[in-house]
């Protein structure tokens, strides 16, 4: 490994000691700050930008159609046909067998035009829902852009979803087209009878002889199309994508985002990801989740950055080899991945070069300070934590490159964003005090609706004047925000947001499970793991085989990441008078905390 002497890039055994400084104001580990960023950042002065920035100013960064019409896909791809980036690599796609394919912006432009024409030919129109159920292959990126060009609504689906998770999303959204591949298609075929709205299935790399009525091979459909397409002149408030996410109760909710979001995608990719013209950028999140859609496609492409897509599975050495092979400069990943990399050890880091890296970011779950310290040691760079949600549609709080990083903190609100910690009446609490993490509505990519569920949408605004995130946090005297936990029962396992109700529903589908209550149990590596408490149906008794069969059933039906790693059999579960399982009490049992006066918890 080559050790270079520029401060940001030195790493390995010869690397300089992390430059940790003490701010002397806050106690313990929170005194640490890391002042270090290897290049001149796009956002140079946080304080002055925060004081003066207005979202109106950002509008000029985008390309508009006459009449204030804005299309996110046009901004992500088409406009680069006229700004000198036509022949720049837009996508480096490494497949599961490690083959590399490169697509320039012109390639993506033409391919997405063909796909947009194909969708039109099928009758897809503005507002229709078109879902994408694919692994990280180029067609996923091309299709998402094409759907937006038509003005239809893109529905990203994580490839690990099972039939139950798919049915919930496709049924609720009324999707009319699904784009998938031969490996994933059987999951859709198995639930087709429950999806009356679904008209067409498009299969990437499918065996044509196996296709039935209203099923098309992707290549057949697109190859005959023109590579010219007039992007739909969408209104800023026309929906762009619909992404389902989990809450504490009920099935997943469809969060509606609009074309106006691209303003936020663009500015945050510029400020927080700090993307510049010569960057090769890798977002490890799957586009089936919000990070992969926003910061794996729209944000970086709007800035004309070269994006890396890696279809392979996680493995420390393979990941580092991706960085070295493509000379990745900016790397956006997640705490669980970083903890797994830390566990894999320093040797594997030093066997690779990684000298191209200049900026590392993390999102999705709390990032432990020790991981940030380890990152300083082995990568020679601070890891920049940032906070946002499916609903917020863009990063809102971040350790922005021009600021010092405080390990363990999510950073400060971005220019144009007013975040606060408040009590239940919406009053701001003083620095250092725990409260609800809220944001003043007005940023460009705030959720616009919950699909067919106004009541749920209104819940986000139940604290008057604020958008309520569902998270608890505190703010320090320097204005940095610190995550404390969820205010509800939502589980965050390895950065995946999982609703307990979905897991409970999948569990009780198993013939041996009469009742189930599900909680998140703290875990060193994954943040939380899913733990289920179950009451068995009459005639069943607990055995390792039975518990394994329950686990397997949940994994198959719901999702590979959303099954309970631990199952505990109980004779009964604590319930409210109206029969709701009291997850709070289950959690107290698990953590050995006092359960208090349980009689008072019996009311809803
Ligand atoms: O609880 C917070 C946690 O992830 C939730 C949002 O999950 P999701 O909608 O799936 O979006 C994840 C990626 C944008 C939040 O309510 N979360 C997100 N970022 C952080 C975090 N928890 C701690 N630290 C973070 N930086």
């Amino acid at each position: 490994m080559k050790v270079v002497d520029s401060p940001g890039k030195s790493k390995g055994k010869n690397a300089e000691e992390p430059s940790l400084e003490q701010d002397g104001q806050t106690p313990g580990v929170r005194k640490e700050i890391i002042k270090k960023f290897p290049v001149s950042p796009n956002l140079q002065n946080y304080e002055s930008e925060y004081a003066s920035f207005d979202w109106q100013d950002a509008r000029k960064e985008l390309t508009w159609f006459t009449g204030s019409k804005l299309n996110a896909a046009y901004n992500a791809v088409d406009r680069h046909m006229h700004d000198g980036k036509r022949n720049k690599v837009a996508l480096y796609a490494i497949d599961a067998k490690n083959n590399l394919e490169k697509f320039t912006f012109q390639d993506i432009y033409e391919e997405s035009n063909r796909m947009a024409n194909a969708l039109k030919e099928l009758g897809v129109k503005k507002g229709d829902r078109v879902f994408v159920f694919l692994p990280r292959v180029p067609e996923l990126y091309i299709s998402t852009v094409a759907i937006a060009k038509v003005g239809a609504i893109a529905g990203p689906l994580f490839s690990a979803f099972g039939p139950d998770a798919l049915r919930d999303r496709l049924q609720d959204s009324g999707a009319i087209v699904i784009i998938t591949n031969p490996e994933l298609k059987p999951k859709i075929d198995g639930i087709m009878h429950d999806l009356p709205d679904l008209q067409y299935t498009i299969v990437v790399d499918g065996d044509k002889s196996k296709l039935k009525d209203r099923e098309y091979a992707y290549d057949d459909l697109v190859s005959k199309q023109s590579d010219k397409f007039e992007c739909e002149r969408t209104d800023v408030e026309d929906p762009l994508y619909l992404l389902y996410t989990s809450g504490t109760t009920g099935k997943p909710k469809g969060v509606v985002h609009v074309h106006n979001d691209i303003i936020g995608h663009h500015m945050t990719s510029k400020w927080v990801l700090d993307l510049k013209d010569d960057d090769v950028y890798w977002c490890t999140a799957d586009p089936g989740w919000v990070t992969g859609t926003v910061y794996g496609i729209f944000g970086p492409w709007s800035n004309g950055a070269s994006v890396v897509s890696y279809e392979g599975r996680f493995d420390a050495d393979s990941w580092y080899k991706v960085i070295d092979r493509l000379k990745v400069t900016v790397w956006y990943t997640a705490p669980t991945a970083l903890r797994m990399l830390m566990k894999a050890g320093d040797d594997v880091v030093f066997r690779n070069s990684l000298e191209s890296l200049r900026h590392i970011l993390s999102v999705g779950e709390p990032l432990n300070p020790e991981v940030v310290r380890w990152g300083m040691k082995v990568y020679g760079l601070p890891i920049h934590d940032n906070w946002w949600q499916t609903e917020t549609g863009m990063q809102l709080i971040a350790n922005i490159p021009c600021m010092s990083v405080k390990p363990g903190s999510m950073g400060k609100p971005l220019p144009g964003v007013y975040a606060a910690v408040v009590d239940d009446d919406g009053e701001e609490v003083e620095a250092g005090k725990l409260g609800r993490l809220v944001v003043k509505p007005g940023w460009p990519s705030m959720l616009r609706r919950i699909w067919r569920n106004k009541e749920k949408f209104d819940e986000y605004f139940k604290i008057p004047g604020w958008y309520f995130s569902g998270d608890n946090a505190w703010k320090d005297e320097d204005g940095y925000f610190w995550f404390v936990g969820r205010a509800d029962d939502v589980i965050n396992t390895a950065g995946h947001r999982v609703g307990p109700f979905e897991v409970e529903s999948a569990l009780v589908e198993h013939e041996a499970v009469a009742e189930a209550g599900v909680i998140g149990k703290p875990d060193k590596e994954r943040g939380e793991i899913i733990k289920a408490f179950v009451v068995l149906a009459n005639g069943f008794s607990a055995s390792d085989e039975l518990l394994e069969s329950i686990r397997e059933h949940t994994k198959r039906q719901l999702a590979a990441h959303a099954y309970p790693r631990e199952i505990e059999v109980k004779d009964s579960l604590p319930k409210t008078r109206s029969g709701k399982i009291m997850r709070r009490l289950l959690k107290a049992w698990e953590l050995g905390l006092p359960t208090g006066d349980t009689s008072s918890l019996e009311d809803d």
Side-chain angles (χ1 to χ4, degrees):
M1 188 199 70
K2 189 171 150 216
V3 176
V4 288
D5 58 10
S6 112
K9 293 195 172 171
S10 63
K11 54 183 101 52
K13 297 178 191 80
N14 300 325
E16 64 180 354
E17 279 298 296
S19 72
L20 302 178
E21 297 182 16
Q22 311 282 311
D23 70 2
Q25 285 168 17
T26 38
V29 67
R30 292 176 179 144
K31 286 180 183 167
E32 286 176 35
I33 56 167
I34 303 175
K35 282 188 184 163
K36 184 169 198 172
F37 197 68
V39 300
S40 170
N42 289 338
L43 177 60
Q44 304 239 331
N45 187 324
Y46 172 77
E47 274 74 27
S48 70
E49 194 71 26
Y50 194 86
S52 62
F53 178 78
D54 189 310
W55 284 109
Q56 285 298 327
D57 307 343
R59 293 171 62 93
K60 61 179 180 301
E61 301 259 344
L62 284 307
T63 307
W64 295 75
F65 298 130
T66 45
S68 294
K69 303 285 186 187
L70 180 72
N71 185 299
Y74 185 91
N75 276 278
V77 177
D78 295 17
R79 65 169 169 163
H80 301 312
M81 295 309 100
H82 317 291
D83 65 359
K85 296 210 170 87
R86 185 184 271 267
N87 295 319
K88 181 177 173 178
V89 175
L91 182 67
Y92 289 101
I94 303 182
D95 71 13
K97 295 192 180 116
N98 256 334
N99 301 309
L100 171 67
E101 224 182 329
K102 294 180 198 173
F103 295 82
T104 62
F105 276 103
Q106 174 141 7
D107 295 334
I108 300 287
Y109 166 75
E110 289 174 359
E111 290 299 320
S112 58
N113 282 349
R114 286 199 185 93
M115 182 57 173
N117 281 318
L119 291 173
K120 276 251 163 155
E121 190 181 293
L122 289 179
V124 173
K125 31 179 216 324
K126 193 169 150 185
D128 286 338
R129 277 77 62 209
V130 176
F131 274 58
V132 185
F133 184 40
L134 283 173
R136 288 182 296 275
V137 293
E139 289 83 355
L140 186 164
Y141 296 79
I142 293 163
S143 300
T144 304
V145 169
I147 296 164
K149 283 188 171 184
V150 176
I153 309 175
L157 291 168
F158 185 40
S159 55
F161 282 149
D164 287 355
L166 293 167
R167 189 188 294 106
D168 289 344
R169 287 157 174 84
L170 293 167
Q171 237 173 23
D172 184 70
S173 64
I176 65 163
V177 177
I178 186 146
I179 304 163
T180 188
N181 75 0
E183 287 73 47
L184 299 174
K185 183 170 174 285
K187 292 194 202 174
I188 304 290
D189 292 343
I191 56 168
M192 197 56 99
H193 54 278
D194 291 329
L195 305 173
D197 298 314
L198 193 63
Q199 294 175 30
Y200 302 110
T201 306
I202 301 175
V203 189
V204 174
D205 291 334
D207 176 351
K208 285 174 212 163
S209 64
K210 294 205 175 127
L211 297 178
K212 299 191 288 282
D213 190 28
R214 295 192 297 164
E215 295 182 347
Y216 297 92
Y218 182 97
D219 284 341
D220 276 359
L221 207 57
V222 299
S223 58
K224 61 180 186 216
Q225 305 292 340
S226 156
D227 61 10
K228 302 280 179 300
F229 184 82
E230 275 289 302
C231 252
E232 181 75 29
R233 268 49 179 162
T234 33
D235 188 82
V236 282
E237 292 301 311
D238 284 336
L240 169 64
Y241 71 98
L242 172 60
L243 191 50
Y244 281 76
T245 194
S246 301
T248 190
T249 53
K251 296 285 189 180
K253 312 288 185 300
V255 176
V256 179
H257 283 285
V258 299
H259 283 264
N260 194 63
D261 283 36
I262 192 75
I263 302 173
H265 301 170
H266 184 89
M267 292 312 293
T268 50
S269 299
K270 192 169 171 172
W271 288 332
V272 182
L273 304 180
D274 194 53
L275 293 176
K276 302 185 199 304
D277 262 355
D278 53 354
D279 278 317
V280 177
Y281 161 75
W282 183 23
C283 171
T284 62
D286 191 282
W289 301 103
V290 76
T291 309
T293 294
V294 172
Y295 295 108
I297 306 179
F298 290 107
W301 276 355
S302 178
N303 282 272
S306 301
V307 164
V308 174
S309 163
Y310 175 59
E311 199 191 345
R313 295 178 69 84
F314 173 84
D315 161 75
D317 197 46
S318 314
W319 270 33
Y320 293 144
K321 291 213 158 28
V322 170
I323 293 173
D324 279 353
R325 182 173 180 187
L326 297 174
K327 309 243 175 312
V328 171
T329 54
V330 180
W331 183 33
Y332 197 10
T333 188
T336 293
L338 289 161
R339 286 190 289 264
M340 285 159 81
L341 290 169
M342 185 167 149
K343 192 167 154 200
D346 299 1
D347 286 354
V348 60
V349 181
F350 302 139
R351 278 205 303 275
N352 296 282
S353 159
L354 310 187
E355 70 175 314
S356 55
L357 281 179
R358 71 163 183 89
H359 186 23
I360 309 177
L361 304 100
S362 159
V363 75
E365 16 156 7
L367 179 67
N368 333 41
E370 56 269 38
V371 177
V372 181
R373 276 183 230 121
W374 173 78
M376 285 295 290
K377 186 178 82 166
V378 299
Y379 305 133
L381 295 168
I383 299 165
H384 291 72
D385 191 14
N386 48 85
W387 176 90
W388 61 294
Q389 306 178 293
T390 306
E391 292 89 336
T392 72
M394 65 179 230
Q395 296 150 338
L396 293 184
I397 296 177
N399 286 282
I400 302 167
C402 64
M403 299 170 4
S404 300
V405 167
K406 290 200 187 190
S409 162
M410 307 186 290
K412 292 192 192 190
L414 300 189
V417 174
Y418 190 84
V421 178
V422 300
D423 60 22
D424 287 336
D425 298 323
E427 294 300 323
E428 287 196 46
V429 300
E430 57 189 271
K433 288 262 171 358
L434 173 71
R436 311 293 191 203
L437 176 55
V438 294
V439 189
K440 272 251 173 301
W443 72 96
S445 45
M446 188 178 85
L447 80 165
R448 294 306 199 270
R449 282 187 275 146
I450 293 293
W451 189 256
R452 294 178 177 156
N453 193 338
K454 168 131 178 30
E455 199 186 327
K456 175 66 199 170
F457 179 75
D458 291 342
E459 275 178 30
Y460 289 101
F461 302 94
K462 66 183 179 196
I463 304 180
W466 299 102
Y467 160 81
F468 176 39
S469 65
D471 286 349
N472 287 332
W474 61 279
K475 188 167 94 165
D476 71 18
E477 297 199 327
D478 300 324
Y480 283 72
F481 283 72
W482 301 76
F483 180 82
V484 174
R486 287 288 302 185
D488 57 21
D489 294 334
V490 168
I491 301 164
N492 191 336
T493 178
H496 296 124
R497 185 163 152 184
V498 176
F501 180 79
E502 294 160 65
V503 186
E504 290 161 1
S505 303
L507 282 166
V508 295
E509 277 174 18
H510 190 284
E511 55 169 0
V513 180
E515 287 177 1
V518 163
I519 59 160
K521 174 179 173 177
D523 180 77
K524 232 173 157 286
E525 190 165 287
R526 293 167 182 273
E528 287 183 314
I529 55 162
I530 299 171
K531 168 145 191 181
F533 294 86
V534 298
V535 175
L536 296 181
N538 281 339
F540 289 91
S541 54
S543 68
D544 289 348
E545 293 75 45
L546 181 67
L547 298 190
E548 188 51 28
S549 122
I550 296 171
R551 260 193 294 272
E552 274 308 310
H553 161 86
T554 322
K555 204 187 242 181
R556 193 174 52 246
Q557 288 302 115
L558 187 61
H561 62 274
Y563 76 99
R565 282 172 189 264
E566 283 186 21
I567 301 179
E568 189 172 325
V569 177
K570 290 274 182 194
D571 291 336
S572 66
L573 297 180
K575 292 200 209 70
T576 60
R577 271 188 213 119
S578 64
K580 270 195 217 155
I581 289 164
M582 288 152 59
R583 299 189 192 110
R584 256 184 309 159
L585 206 59
L586 296 176
K587 193 135 187 174
W589 282 355
E590 183 59 38
L591 302 179
L593 299 173
T595 49
D597 176 7
T598 53
S599 61
S600 67
L601 291 174
E602 292 285 328
D603 289 317
D604 282 27

